[in-house]
Amino acid sequence: MTDFEAMALIAKGDKSAFDVIVKRHQNALINYFMRYSGNLDTAAELSQEVFLRIYKARDRYKPKAKFTTYLFRVAHNLAINELIAKKRPDTKPIDNDEKIETLTTPDDNPETGTMAIETSDTIKEAMMQLNPAERSAIILKYTQGMSYKEISKSTGRSVAGVESLLIRAKTKLKAELQKRGVSAS
Amino acid sequence: MKKKSSNITKGKQISHKKAKMLFGPHLDGELDPKRKIALNDHLAGCEACREALKQEKALFSGLANSLETVEIPEKYNLVDSVAKEIEFLEIKSRNEGSVLGLLENFFPSKDRAKLRPSFSASLSYSFAIIVGISIGLLSGMLTPDASNTANYIEPDSSTATSYLDNMIESVSYSDEESLTNLYFGTETENTNE
């Protein structure tokens, strides 16, 4: 069952079809919010809110773009609004038992030219220095693997606007990582 | 809107600054052919920029690996909690305007997630309150009504006042002898004894 088919069933009143949507996208959504907020509990709570908003709007849903574009548009708006409501990012550290292994390469890999970044906390701290829009764009690009066009649809910016935003975000992130002793040189 | 690519003229070398601005889109695979050619032309003659690009690639490949989607622990599985929340929303919409709907207003949506585990408990409390109110109403119906309590006359203040007035009046009309008789008996009675 595709996302579109599931949404069509949900609009007709088949609640069980929504389980398919939740099961399929919860991991990506929690990852997005976890990178965004730095806290797994907050991430789960915000993800649940996204699913509920989508459920409430089931009758108005039009399959114009990919379902994930729509999903992350709701998520992006919630992330930005949540931060405005809180006035500051949620920087509560992840408990040790909840810490997720985020590093896949413990050593530098000369073959692929990939550099290992030592701890997830370093990235988290650096990410928190970005403004909400920059952070969201970086996550959509690197965690969700979206193209600039998809990010543009999820954030409501132009493709050129997304490109500028990502250039700015990467420059800032690079400087923040270098401040924390992470550099490519 | 003026496209960025139009700033780059074919055959003209771009500056180091412009070349570095293109590193990000280049590494993300988002450069259009025109800008790609311009960057490659610049890189072909600029070792410093080639080195800078290599470093940028290493840094952001590492970041991309670190930010990859990871598997979330099972305890954060949202399927059940979302289903329960939807059920809650539907009960709420059904009860809109009813007593249960009013009760629900005491629990704002932001607290719903916290309340979710004790939702059945909340329903039990609501049920208990309704039963309590019903018992109260029923016991009120069993209380004796006015027809059964007709023999009881509320003493009013005017009755009490007139009784006192009569007492005072009877005393004032008595002569001294009568008063003596009242408290000590009559001389006659004493004599008779």
Side-chain angles (χ1 to χ4, degrees), chain A residues 98-133:
Chain A
E98 289 177 355
K99 198 174 271 185
I100 291 168
E101 289 304 320
T102 53
L103 297 177
T104 53
T105 50
D107 302 309
D108 289 1
N109 185 341
E111 280 178 20
T112 58
T114 303
M115 190 197 67
I117 297 174
E118 287 307 318
T119 63
S120 57
D121 283 347
T122 309
I123 297 171
K124 198 173 81 180
E125 283 168 18
M127 289 281 285
M128 288 303 172
Q129 304 311 310
L130 304 179
N131 72 35

Side-chain angles (χ1 to χ4, degrees), chain A residues 15 18-19 22-23 26-27 30-31 35 40-41 44 47-48 51-52 55-56 58 98 100-105 113-115 117 123 138 141-143 147-148 158 163-164 167 170 173-174 177 182 184-185, chain B residues 1 4 21-22 24-25 27-28 30-31 35 52 54-73 75-79 81-83 85-87 89-90 110 112-113 116:
Chain A
K15 277 190 277 179
F18 202 63
D19 291 351
V22 176
K23 203 170 182 179
Q26 60 177 344
N27 207 55
I30 295 176
N31 265 274
R35 304 297 183 196
L40 199 48
D41 287 329
S47 301
Q48 177 166 303
F51 285 124
L52 289 175
Y55 182 81
K56 283 180 196 168
R58 63 196 179 280
E98 289 177 355
I100 291 168
E101 289 304 320
T102 53
L103 297 177
T104 53
T105 50
T114 303
M115 190 197 67
I117 297 174
I123 297 171
I138 287 281
K141 176 70 204 156
Y142 290 110
T143 306
S147 67
Y148 287 9
S158 65
E163 186 178 305
S164 311
I167 289 172
K170 284 180 183 184
L173 198 54
K174 191 175 162 185
L177 287 170
V182 178
S185 52
Chain B
M1 184 186 287
K4 282 196 169 190
M21 292 283 279
L22 298 178
L27 293 172
D28 292 338
E30 298 275 354
L31 273 189
R35 289 195 295 167
K54 200 177 157 189
Q55 286 180 12
E56 187 123 338
K57 187 181 176 183
L59 181 71
F60 286 104
S61 299
L63 182 79
N65 281 339
S66 302
L67 291 179
E68 267 179 357
T69 299
V70 291
E71 206 54 44
I72 299 297
K75 74 169 184 170
Y76 289 99
N77 190 333
L78 297 177
V79 175
S81 60
V82 169
E85 200 69 14
I86 286 171
E87 198 182 330
L89 283 174
E90 294 194 337
K110 63 176 183 174
R112 249 189 271 140
R116 197 184 328 110

Side-chain angles (χ1 to χ4, degrees), chain B residues 18-191:
Chain B
K18 271 188 180 167
K20 282 180 181 171
M21 292 283 279
L22 298 178
F23 286 178
H26 169 68
L27 293 172
D28 292 338
E30 298 275 354
L31 273 189
D32 56 81
K34 207 172 176 181
R35 289 195 295 167
K36 202 169 185 175
I37 292 168
L39 178 64
N40 286 338
D41 284 351
H42 179 90
L43 290 171
C46 181
E47 202 185 331
C49 282
R50 281 202 302 275
E51 186 56 34
L53 178 62
K54 200 177 157 189
Q55 286 180 12
E56 187 123 338
K57 187 181 176 183
L59 181 71
F60 286 104
S61 299
L63 182 79
N65 281 339
S66 302
L67 291 179
E68 267 179 357
T69 299
V70 291
E71 206 54 44
I72 299 297
E74 184 54 31
K75 74 169 184 170
Y76 289 99
N77 190 333
L78 297 177
V79 175
D80 288 343
S81 60
V82 169
K84 276 181 194 167
E85 200 69 14
I86 286 171
E87 198 182 330
F88 183 87
L89 283 174
E90 294 194 337
I91 290 170
K92 188 189 165 191
S93 68
R94 276 202 299 273
N95 292 332
E96 208 111 305
S98 67
V99 177
L100 278 175
L102 287 171
L103 281 171
E104 200 278 331
N105 289 335
F106 287 104
F107 307 109
S109 57
K110 63 176 183 174
D111 294 335
R112 249 189 271 140
K114 290 170 196 166
L115 287 170
R116 197 184 328 110
S118 61
F119 177 69
S120 55
S122 303
L123 271 182
S124 308
Y125 294 145
S126 308
F127 181 73
I129 290 167
I130 291 165
V131 168
I133 292 168
S134 307
I135 290 170
L137 287 172
L138 281 170
S139 61
M141 285 165 73
L142 294 172
T143 306
D145 61 15
S147 62
N148 294 334
T149 55
N151 293 333
Y152 178 69
I153 298 164
E154 180 96 10
D156 65 8
S157 56
S158 61
T159 314
T161 311
S162 58
Y163 178 76
L164 277 172
D165 286 347
N166 288 337
M167 281 287 287
I168 292 162
E169 205 175 348
S170 64
V171 169
S172 61
Y173 284 124
S174 303
D175 54 20
E176 207 173 295
E177 190 186 354
S178 303
L179 279 173
T180 311
N181 290 339
L182 182 69
Y183 292 107
F184 307 107
T186 57
E187 284 177 12
T188 319
E189 282 169 345
N190 291 335
T191 312

Side-chain angles (χ1 to χ4, degrees), chain A residues 137-179:
Chain A
I138 287 281
I139 300 165
L140 292 173
K141 176 70 204 156
Y142 290 110
T143 306
Q144 304 307 323
M146 284 187 179
S147 67
Y148 287 9
K149 198 176 172 184
E150 287 169 324
I151 297 173
S152 139
K153 284 180 182 169
S154 288
T155 58
R157 288 172 184 261
S158 65
V159 175
V162 169
E163 186 178 305
S164 311
L165 184 68
L166 278 168
I167 289 172
R168 218 169 40 240
K170 284 180 183 184
T171 307
K172 214 188 260 187
L173 198 54
K174 191 175 162 185
E176 290 296 335
L177 287 170
Q178 283 170 346
K179 258 194 229 174

